[in-house]
C-alpha cells in the first residue's frame, strides 16, 4: 500500500504491529529481517527429534508470504516425504496510526484499518508409510 | 651506645615473652645475640640500607618500649670503668678467633662503624651469664667483643655496687617492656596456641590468672566503645507491632518511603534518591530475567515517587498560560484536542515561560480530567501534571509564578475539598510538633501511631496548595496522594484482568453508620452512571483478547472502579497466561484498537479527592480480612464480602512503548495504574501473584535505553535537574577513580580523554561555534587555504554527489522552499531573541520538524540493502547550503538526541565519545570488511612530570618542616592547592579545545550505552552537536551517511557506529 499523502495539517503515520494470537510452542512467525537459513533451521529443530512438536504452524504476512512458502517447501523437500503441508490464507487487518503534530486537528480518526494478506501453513509429520 | 644495647635487649625480650618462654636463658641469649645484629644496620647504615617502611614499622613497634635505659649521669664516669672491668673479666682469647679470615673481620667492623672500642653490654651479658657456655659460642663472643678490646687494656677489677646498679636499671627496663603490651592485639590473642581456650573473650576466667587484670581492663574498654543502641530491648519487644511502627516512622522521616517499601527492602538494593527510598535493582541475579519480562511477560514497577501536580481553573485561563511554557514545535501541547478531551495522556517538555528553546524545565506527562457532560455550564477543568521528583521543585515554582499563585490556600479557595484538608491539617501540625502523623489523628487517639502514607509525608507547616487572586487557578501538590504502578510487557493485559475485578453494582449500604462505599451507593442510584460503569467494565474485559498493549492507541485512558483485589487472590503465585478463547474477532475489539476508549469511559472517581479520602480511610485492614478468611466454613473457598467489599476507583493509562524509529515498534508498551493512597500493597501483591516480575530503577533505565528515549533526569542536560545529576555523577565517578592507587588508574591524559566523568556540553557547543565561525569567515574570504580538518574544507565544495534530485517532485521542492523562507523568518526572529538572552547556554533541539529533517539526512541515501529513498520524496529538503545556513545561524549551540548502533564489535560505555570518521577510515572500511576501526595514537602526559615535582617538593617541605618549624606557610598552601587541581591521569580544569583534541574530531558524547539485549549489538544513546553533525553529514559520501566513530573513555580503539535520529 502506498504512503498516504499528508493532509493539509501535518500528520505522522505510524504502523502498529499486526495483532497476533497467543503463541504456542509450534508457532513460527516468519519475517523478512531474520536470516532465511536461521528461520529454516528453527523450524527443522522444532520438528526434529527433541523439538517436541509434531506439527508446526508457519505464519507469513504480506511480503513474508513468499518466504513462509519457501520455508515450508524446503522443509518438505528435506523431510523425505515425512511431512505434510496444509496451507490456509487469510486477511489480516492492520492499523495505521495517524499522529497529529499540532493541536488543532485532533478530529480525524486516530487510526485507519488496512488489510493485508497472510498465509498460515501447517506442517505436520505423518507416520512413515509401512 | 648503652641505649642501643638495651634496646636490643628489650626487643629480644619482647620476643621471648611473646613466645611464652620466660626464663629460658638460652633463648633469651639467642634473642639478644641476634637482635643487635639486625638492629645495627638500621641504626648505623644510611637510609639506603633498609627501606623506609621497615623502619617505620620498627619505630611503631618500639613506640611503647622504654626508649633507652640510662643510668643517671653521675654513673657516667664509672661507666666506662665498668665496661673495662667487665671486659677484663674475660681473660681468655681463644686461638679460634684467628681462624676467622681478615676479610670477615673487616666486614664486621664496617658494619658496626659506630661501635666504640669499648665492649658493648651485649658482650658483657654474654659473659656475666654464660660462664659455662660451649667453646664455640664463647669463642665467637669473645671474638666479637674482644676484637675491639684487644688494643685496650684489660680491666683488673669490678666493683659490685656499680655493677649491680647498672644491672638493676637494665632489669627494670626489661620488666617494664614485659609489662607493657606493644601490639594492638588483645591479651588472650598473645597467648600461645596451646594455652588458648574457647570463648576467652567472653569469659575472663578462662585466661591464666596473671593476665586477668589486663583482660578485665580491655573488656571494659570494649564495652564503652560499643555505642548504646536499642538492642537492649529483646527481639520480641522490638518486633511488636507498635514499636515496629514507631521505629519505621522514625526511619522514614528523612527519606520518604513508598507504600511498598518494606516489600522492596527485603528484596532490593535500596538507594536514597530525590528524597525517597527506592529500590535500585533486585538482589537476585535478574538483569536478563527482567529484560525478558519486559519483552515477553510482564514487569512491574512502583512509580509512586513520581509527583502529581494538580491545576484547577477555567480551561482558557489554564491553556493561555500553559501555552507559554511549551511550544507547538515540539509536538502536541496541552491544547491538543484528544488530550484536552481527556481521552489520552499527553507528554511534552516544559520550558520556562516564553523561553523556548532555551531553559527547559523537564519532561512531563499530563492528563486532563474529562469534561462532565451533565455540568457543561462550568468551564472549570482539572489537570494533572506528572513529573519526576527531581524536576518537581523547578516546575512547581515556575507554575506558581506564571499563574501568580502565591497565596497558600487557607485564605481563599474555590475548592472546598482542599480547604477542608488544609484546615484539618493545620491544628494537627500545631498539636504534634515535629511528629508526622496521618491527618485523622484527632479522631483516632486510641491507636498510638499510624503508618505514614500520602500527605503524611508532607513537610509540616508548609502549604501544598496555592491559589491566585486574579484568575482563581488553584495549584496543589498531590505528591504521594496517588500511587502509580507501571506494568510493562505483553502479558500486562492478562495480569490486569486476572488481578482486578470490576466492582459490582451496589444499591444498599452495608452499615448505616460507616461511610464505607457510600459514594458508590450514591453513584449506583443513577442509572446513567451504572451504564457507564458497565461500559467501562466491558472495555476492560475486552483487554483480555488483545495480545499486547501496543495495539491500543497510545496514551489511552480508561477509568474504572474495581473491587478489593485482595479478595480474589490466588492461593499460589502463578503466571497469568492468555486465554485463546477470548481472542475473538469482533467489532468491539476492532473499534477499541482503532479508536481507543470513548471519552466518557475515561472518567474515574479518582479525580474526586473526597472519594479518594473515603476509600483510603475505609480500607478493611489486612488483619480483618485474614480473620474473615479464617472464619470461612470451607477453608480456602472464595471470600465473599458482599456489600462490605471496598470499591476502589482507579485510572489505567496506556504507555506506548517504543514509538519512534523503525525497528521494534511498540516494544516495552504497557499500562500505568493510578490508585488512591493507602491501597499500595493491596494491589501490589495480587499483581505479583499473577506472575509479574518486579524491577527497580535500573530496569527503568534499561527500559528507556531499549526504547531509545531519554531517561529522566540523566538525559536532560539542559534542565536544572539534569545538570545536577551530572554533577552528582561526576563526583561519584571521581571518588571512585581516586580510590584506586595511582598506578592502577587509567591515565585519561594519555588516552586523550578530556572529560571521562562529565560531558562538557557547554564547551563542546562553544568550540563548534568557534569552528563554524572560523570556517564561515574563510568561506567569505574565499581563501583557498585548506583548513586542518577535512570536513570543514569539504563543506563549501558542494554539491553533494550522493543526493539525487527528482524532477518529478519539482512542485514539492518549490513549496518546501516557500516553507523554508517562512521558516527562516521565524528562525531569524528566534535568533534575535537568543542573542538578547544569555548566550552561554546550550539547548537540546526538540523541534519535530527539524528533527525529522535531520533524521532524513542521516540515512544513507544509497547503498546495498537500502531502498533508495530520495530526500525530496517525503517532502524533505535537500541538504544544500541554503538549507543548512539558516540552521547554522539559529541553532548555534544546540544538541541533538541521537541513537547509535555499532556496526561490529564493541559495547559503548557511559561518556563514550562520538567522533567524525576521516576519509581514510572509510577507505579502510571499504577495503576490509572486518575493519574494526582506527586507533587513537597515545597522547603524552605533560602533567605527570608536574605532579611528581609537586609531590617531591611537598615531601621536602614536610621534611624541612620537621627540622625548622618556621616554614613559609603560604608557599606550602599554594603547593597543596596546585596539587589538588592536578590529579594523575586527569586533565586539570580549563580544558583545551575539546573538538580537536584527538585525531578524530569530536561530535558529542554518549549518555547511555551498553550491549543491547533487544538489538543484539552494542547500542548507545547520546547527544551530538548540531553544527558538527551537519558539517559531518554534508561531507560524507552518500552510502556512508550517518557513520560515526565511537570511543570509550578508557580505550584508544575507535569503533564504527551508525547514527540515527528517531522522531
Amino acid at each position: 500500500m502506498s504512503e498516504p499523502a499528508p493532509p493539509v495539517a501535518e500528520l505522522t503515520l505510524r504502523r502498529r504491529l499486526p495483532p497476533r494470537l497467543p503463541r504456542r510452542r509450534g508457532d513460527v512467525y516468519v519475517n523478512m529481517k531474520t536470516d532465511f537459513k536461521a528461520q529454516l533451521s528453527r523450524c527443522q529443530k522444532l520438528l526434529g527429534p527433541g523439538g517436541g512438536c509434531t506439527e508446526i504452524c508457519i505464519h507469513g504476512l504480506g511480503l513474508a508470504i513468499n518466504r513462509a512458502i519457501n520455508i515450508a517447501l524446503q522443509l518438505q523437500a528435506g523431510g523425505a516425504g515425512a511431512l505434510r503441508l496444509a496451507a490456509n490464507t487469510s486477511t489480516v487487518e492492520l492499523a495505521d496510526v495517524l499522529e497529529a503534530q499540532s493541536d488543532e486537528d485532533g478530529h480525524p480518526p486516530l487510526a485507519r484499518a488496512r488489510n493485508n494478506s497472510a498465509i498460515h501453513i501447517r506442517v505436520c509429520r505423518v507416520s512413515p508409510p509401512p | 651506645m648503652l641505649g642501643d644495647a638495651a634496646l636490643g635487649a628489650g626487643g629480644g625480650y619482647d620476643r621471648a615473652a611473646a613466645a611464652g618462654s620466660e626464663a629460658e636463658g638460652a633463648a633469651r641469649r639467642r634473642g639478644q645475640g641476634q637482635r643487635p645484629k639486625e638492629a645495627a644496620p638500621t641504626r648505623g647504615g644510611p637510609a639506603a640500607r633498609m627501606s623506609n617502611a621497615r623502619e617505620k614499622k620498627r619505630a611503631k613497634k618500639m613506640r611503647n618500649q622504654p626508649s633507652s635505659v640510662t643510668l643517671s649521669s653521675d654513673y657516667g664516669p664509672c661507666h666506662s670503668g665498668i665496661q673495662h672491668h667487665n671486659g677484663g673479666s674475660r681473660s681468655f682469647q681463644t686461638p679460634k678467633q684467628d681462624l676467622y679470615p681478615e676479610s670477615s673481620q673487616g666486614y664486621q667492623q664496617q658494619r658496626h662503624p659506630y661501635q666504640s672500642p669499648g665492649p658493648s653490654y651485649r658482650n658483657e651479658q654474654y659473659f656475666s651469664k654464660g660462664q659455662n657456655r660451649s667453646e664455640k659460642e664463647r669463642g665467637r663472643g669473645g671474638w666479637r667483643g674482644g676484637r675491639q678490646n684487644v688494643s685496650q687494656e684489660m680491666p683488673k677489677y669490678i666493683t659490685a655496687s656499680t655493677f649491680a646498679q647498672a644491672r638493676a636499671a637494665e632489669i627494670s627496663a626489661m620488666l617494664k617492656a614485659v609489662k607493657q603490651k606493644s601490639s594492638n592485639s588483645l591479651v588472650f590473642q598473645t597467648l600461645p596456641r596451646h594455652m588458648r581456650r574457647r570463648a576467652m573473650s567472653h569469659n575472663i576466667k578462662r585466661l591464666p590468672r596473671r593476665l586477668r587484670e589486663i583482660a578485665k581492663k580491655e573488656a571494659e574498654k570494649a564495652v564503652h566503645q560499643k555505642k548504646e543502641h536499642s538492642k537492649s530491648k529483646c527481639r520480641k519487644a522490638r518486633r511488636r507491632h507498635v514499636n515496629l511502627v514507631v521505629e519505621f516512622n522514625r526511619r522514614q522521616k528523612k527519606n520518604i518511603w513508598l507504600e511498598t517499601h518494606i516489600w522492596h527492602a527485603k528484596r532490593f538494593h535500596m538507594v536514597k534518591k530525590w528524597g525517597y527510598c527506592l529500590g535500585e535493582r533486585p538482589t537476585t541475579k535478574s538483569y536478563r530475567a527482567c529484560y525478558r519480562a519486559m519483552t515477553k511477560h510482564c514487569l512491574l514497577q512502583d512509580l509512586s515517587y513520581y509527583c502529581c501536580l494538580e491545576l484547577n481553573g477555567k480551561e482558557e485561563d489554564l491553556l493561555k498560560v500553559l501555552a507559554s511554557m511549551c511550544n507547538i514545535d515540539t509536538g502536541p501541547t496541552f491544547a491538543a484536542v484528544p488530550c484536552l478531551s481527556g481521552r489520552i495522556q499527553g507528554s511534552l517538555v516544559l520550558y520556562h515561560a516564553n523561553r523556548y528553546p532555551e531553559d527547559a524545565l523537564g519532561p512531563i506527562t499530563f492528563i486532563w480530567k474529562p469534561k462532565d457532560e451533565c455540568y457543561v455550564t462550568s468551564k472549570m477543568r482539572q489537570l494533572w501534571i506528572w513529573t519526576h521528583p527531581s524536576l518537581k521543585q523547578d516546575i512547581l515554582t515556575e507554575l506558581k509564578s506564571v499563574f501568580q499563585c502565591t497565596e497558600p490556600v487557607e485564605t481563599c479557595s474555590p475548592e472546598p475539598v482542599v480547604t477542608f484538608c488544609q484546615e484539618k491539617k493545620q491544628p494537627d501540625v500545631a498539636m504534634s510538633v515535629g511528629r508526622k502523623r496521618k491527618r485523622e489523628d484527632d479522631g483516632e487517639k486510641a491507636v498510638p501511631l499510624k503508618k505514614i502514607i500520602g500527605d503524611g509525608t508532607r513537610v509540616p507547616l508548609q502549604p501544598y496548595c496555592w491559589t491566585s487572586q486574579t484568575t482563581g487557578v488553584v495549584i496543589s501538590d498531590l505528591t504521594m496522594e496517588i500511587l502509580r504502578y507501571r506494568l510493562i510487557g505483553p502479558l500486562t493485559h492478562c495480569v490486569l484482568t486476572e488481578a482486578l475485578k470490576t466492582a459490582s453494582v451496589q444499591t444498599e449500604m452495608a452499615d448505616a453508620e460507616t461511610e464505607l462505599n457510600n459514594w458508590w451507593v450514591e453513584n449506583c442510584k443513577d442509572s446513567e452512571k451504572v451504564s457507564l460503569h458497565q461500559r467501562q467494565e466491558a472495555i476492560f474485559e475486552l483487554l483480555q483478547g488483545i495480545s499486547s498493549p501496543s495495539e491500543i492507541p497510545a496514551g489511552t485512558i480508561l477509568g474504572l472502579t474495581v473491587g478489593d483485589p485482595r479478595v480474589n487472590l490466588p492461593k499460589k503465585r502463578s503466571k497469568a497466561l492468555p486465554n485463546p478463547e477470548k481472542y475473538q474477532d469482533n467489532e468491539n475489539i476492532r473499534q477499541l484498537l482503532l479508536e481507543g476508549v470513548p471519552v466518557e469511559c475515561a472518567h474515574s472517581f479518582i479525580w474526586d479527592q473526597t472519594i479518594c479520602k473515603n476509600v483510603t480511610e475505609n480500607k478493611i485492614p489486612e488483619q480483618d480480612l485474614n480473620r474473615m478468611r479464617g472464619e470461612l466454613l470451607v477453608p480456602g473457598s472464595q471470600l465473599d464480602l458482599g456489600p462490605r467489599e471496598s470499591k476502589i476507583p482507579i485510572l489505567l493509562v496506556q504507555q506506548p512503548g517504543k514509538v519512534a524509529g523503525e525497528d521494534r515498534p511498540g516494544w516495552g508498551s504497557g499500562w500505568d495504574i493510578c490508585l488512591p493512597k493507602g491501597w499500595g500493597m493491596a494491589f501490589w501483591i495480587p499483581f505479583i501473584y499473577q506472575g509479574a516480575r518486579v524491577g527497580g530503577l535500573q530496569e527503568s533505565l534499561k527500559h528507556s535505553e531499549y526504547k531509545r528515549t531519554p531517561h529522566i533526569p540523566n538525559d536532560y542536560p539542559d534542565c536544572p535537574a539534569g545538570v545536577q545529576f551530572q554533577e552528582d555523577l561526576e563526583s561519584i565517578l571521581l571518588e571512585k577513580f581516586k580510590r584506586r592507587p595511582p598506578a592502577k588508574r587509567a591515565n585519561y591524559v594519555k588516552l586523550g580523554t578530556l572529560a571521562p566523568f562529565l560531558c562538557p556540553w557547554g564547551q563542546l557547543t562553544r568550540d563548534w561555534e568557534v569552528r563554524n565561525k572560523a570556517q564561515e569567515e574563510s568561506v567569505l574570504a574565499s581563501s583557498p587555504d585548506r583548513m586542518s580538518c577535512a570536513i570543514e574544507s569539504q563543506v563549501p565544495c558542494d554539491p553533494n554527489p550522493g543526493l539525487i534530485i527528482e524532477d518529478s517532485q519539482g512542485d514539492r521542492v518549490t513549496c518546501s522552499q516557500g516553507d523554508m523562507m517562512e521558516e527562516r523568518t521565524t528562525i531569524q526572529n528566534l535568533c534575535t531573541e537568543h542573542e538578547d538572552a544569555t548566550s552561554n547556554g546550550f539547548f537540546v533541539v526538540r523541534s519535530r520538524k527539524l528533527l525529522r529533517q535531520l533524521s532524513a539526512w542521516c540515512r544513507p541515501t544509497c547503498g546495498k540493502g537500502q531502498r533508495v529513498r530520495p530526500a525530496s520524496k517525503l517532502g524533505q529538503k535537500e541538504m544544500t547550503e541554503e538549507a543548512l545556513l539558516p540552521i547554522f545561524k539559529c541553532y548555534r549551540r544546540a544538541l541533538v538526541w541521537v541513537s547509535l548502533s555499532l556496526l561490529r564489535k564493541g559495547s559503548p560505555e557511559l561518556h563514550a565519545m562520538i567522533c567524525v570518521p576521516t576519509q581514510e577510515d572509510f577507505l579502510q572500511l571499504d577495503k576490509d570488511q572486518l575493519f574494526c576501526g582506527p586507533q587513537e595514537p597515545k597522547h603524552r602526559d605533560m602533567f605527570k612530570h608536574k605532579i611528581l615535582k609537586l609531590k617531591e617538593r611537598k615531601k621536602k617541605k614536610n621534611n624541612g618542616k620537621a627540622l625548622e618549624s618556621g616554614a613559609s606557610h603560604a608557599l606550602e598552601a599554594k603547593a597543596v592547592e596546585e596539587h589538588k587541581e592536578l590529579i594523575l591521569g586527569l586533565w586539570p580544569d580549563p580544558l583545551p579545545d575539546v573538538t580537536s583534541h584527538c585525531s578524530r574530531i569530536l561530535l558529542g558524547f554518549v549518555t547511555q550505552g551498553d550491549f543491547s539485549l533487544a538489538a543484539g549489538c552494542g547500542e548507545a544513546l547520546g547527544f551530538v552537536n548540531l553544527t558538527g553533525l551537519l558539517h559531518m553529514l554534508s561531507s560524507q559520501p552518500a552510502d556512508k551517511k550517518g557513520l560515526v566513530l565511537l570511543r570509550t573513555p578508557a580505550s584508544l580503539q575507535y569503533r564504527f557506529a551508525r547514527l540515527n535520529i528517531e522522531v
Side-chain angles (χ1 to χ4, degrees), chain B residues 1005-1054:
Chain B
F1005 293 98
V1006 165
T1007 58
Q1008 292 179 42
D1010 202 354
F1011 181 83
S1012 164
L1013 294 174
C1017 64
E1019 284 212 333
L1021 301 168
F1023 289 98
V1024 294
N1025 184 270
L1026 179 61
T1027 322
L1029 180 71
L1030 290 175
H1031 276 266
M1032 182 191 84
L1033 289 176
S1034 58
S1035 70
Q1036 280 182 334
D1039 59 331
K1040 296 268 181 349
K1041 276 223 187 302
L1043 273 189
V1044 290
L1045 288 172
L1046 267 186
R1047 183 162 76 94
T1048 51
S1051 153
L1052 291 172
Q1053 178 76 45
Y1054 287 99

Side-chain angles (χ1 to χ4, degrees), chain A residues 10 16 20 93 101 103, chain B residues 333 551 590 593 848 852:
Chain A
E10 227 174 310
R16 275 202 220 129
R20 37 166 83 161
E93 201 164 274
Q101 289 305 302
D103 295 344
Chain B
T333 61
E551 292 175 26
R590 192 172 304 147
L593 294 188
R848 291 266 181 115
R852 224 171 304 132

Side-chain angles (χ1 to χ4, degrees), chain B residues 617-900:
Chain B
E617 282 168 17
N618 292 308
K619 181 188 166 194
I620 303 174
E622 195 76 36
Q623 199 185 4
D624 295 359
L625 209 68
N626 285 337
R627 192 174 41 74
M628 280 187 266
R629 254 193 216 124
E631 283 166 1
L632 279 177
L633 279 179
V634 185
S637 59
Q638 180 82 22
L639 185 68
D640 187 17
L641 289 175
R644 279 182 304 159
E645 185 180 344
S646 317
K647 312 286 185 288
I648 307 117
I650 60 166
L651 203 63
L652 292 167
V653 183
Q654 198 259 7
Q655 293 297 319
K658 193 173 182 308
V659 277
E662 300 199 322
D663 53 339
R664 309 197 304 275
W667 185 90
S669 57
W671 287 87
D672 275 12
I673 173 167
C674 297
L675 313 166
K677 66 175 176 187
W679 282 88
M681 282 314 284
F683 279 78
W684 188 257
I685 296 295
F687 286 150
I688 289 164
Y689 267 56
Q690 297 296 341
R693 181 177 274 276
V694 181
L697 292 176
Q698 190 196 30
E699 275 65 44
S700 58
L701 181 70
K702 288 293 151 202
H703 183 229
S704 76
E705 189 180 321
Y706 296 154
K707 274 197 321 183
R708 302 200 188 125
T709 50
H711 190 248
I712 314 168
N714 308 19
D715 301 325
Y716 288 87
D718 53 342
C719 298
V723 174
Q724 179 65 39
F725 174 85
Q726 275 215 328
E727 279 167 14
D728 293 347
L729 186 68
E730 191 203 7
S731 66
I732 290 169
L733 290 177
L734 190 65
E735 278 308 305
K736 205 175 161 194
F737 180 75
K738 279 199 222 157
R739 275 206 298 271
R740 282 177 170 266
K744 303 283 184 291
R745 293 178 195 159
N747 189 337
Y748 288 113
V749 182
K750 276 190 180 173
L751 289 164
T753 311
L754 287 180
F757 309 133
L758 177 83
C759 306
W761 300 121
Q763 190 167 4
L764 179 81
T765 48
R766 216 175 303 133
D767 289 347
W768 268 107
E769 197 181 357
V770 172
R771 280 177 91 90
N772 193 34
K773 215 171 264 170
Q775 183 239 320
E776 267 173 17
E777 275 162 20
S778 73
V779 169
L780 282 178
S782 65
S783 54
D785 59 325
R786 299 239 136 206
M787 302 291 289
S788 59
C789 89
I791 289 169
E792 288 190 353
S793 58
Q794 286 258 335
V795 174
C797 50
D798 264 341
N800 224 300
L803 295 173
I804 310 143
I805 302 165
E806 285 191 5
D807 291 342
S808 60
Q809 304 284 332
D811 49 350
R812 195 164 291 263
V813 169
T814 52
C815 94
S816 75
Q817 269 174 352
D819 276 0
M820 204 176 67
M821 289 304 290
E822 179 189 301
E823 194 179 276
R824 193 182 286 179
T825 52
T826 56
I827 276 168
Q828 229 77 327
N829 293 341
L830 271 175
C831 284
T832 50
E833 274 173 33
H834 288 187
E835 265 145 42
D836 292 342
T838 51
S839 59
N840 64 335
F842 59 90
F843 61 92
V844 177
V845 175
R846 297 200 175 89
S847 153
R848 291 266 181 115
K849 215 178 210 171
L850 180 64
L851 285 177
R852 224 171 304 132
Q853 180 74 76
L854 286 173
S855 161
W857 283 342
C858 277
R859 281 188 214 121
T861 37
C862 67
K864 55 179 178 181
Q866 290 279 341
R867 271 189 282 174
V868 180
R869 241 179 298 195
S872 58
K873 192 165 179 190
L874 292 165
Q876 303 287 13
K877 282 176 255 178
E878 295 295 333
M879 195 165 169
T880 52
E881 207 174 328
E882 58 196 66
L884 290 180
L885 267 178
I887 299 177
F888 281 146
K889 213 163 235 154
C890 298
Y891 295 92
R892 276 189 187 159
R893 307 191 54 189
L895 297 173
V896 190
W897 175 250
V898 295
S899 71
L900 305 138

Side-chain angles (χ1 to χ4, degrees), chain A residues 30-32 58-72 88-90 116-121:
Chain A
V30 173
N31 63 12
M32 295 305 287
I58 301 172
H59 307 269
L61 174 70
L63 190 63
I65 291 177
N66 272 346
R67 189 173 264 205
I69 294 171
N70 203 348
I71 285 177
N88 267 320
T89 55
S90 70
N116 208 343
S117 321
I119 193 165
H120 315 274
I121 309 169

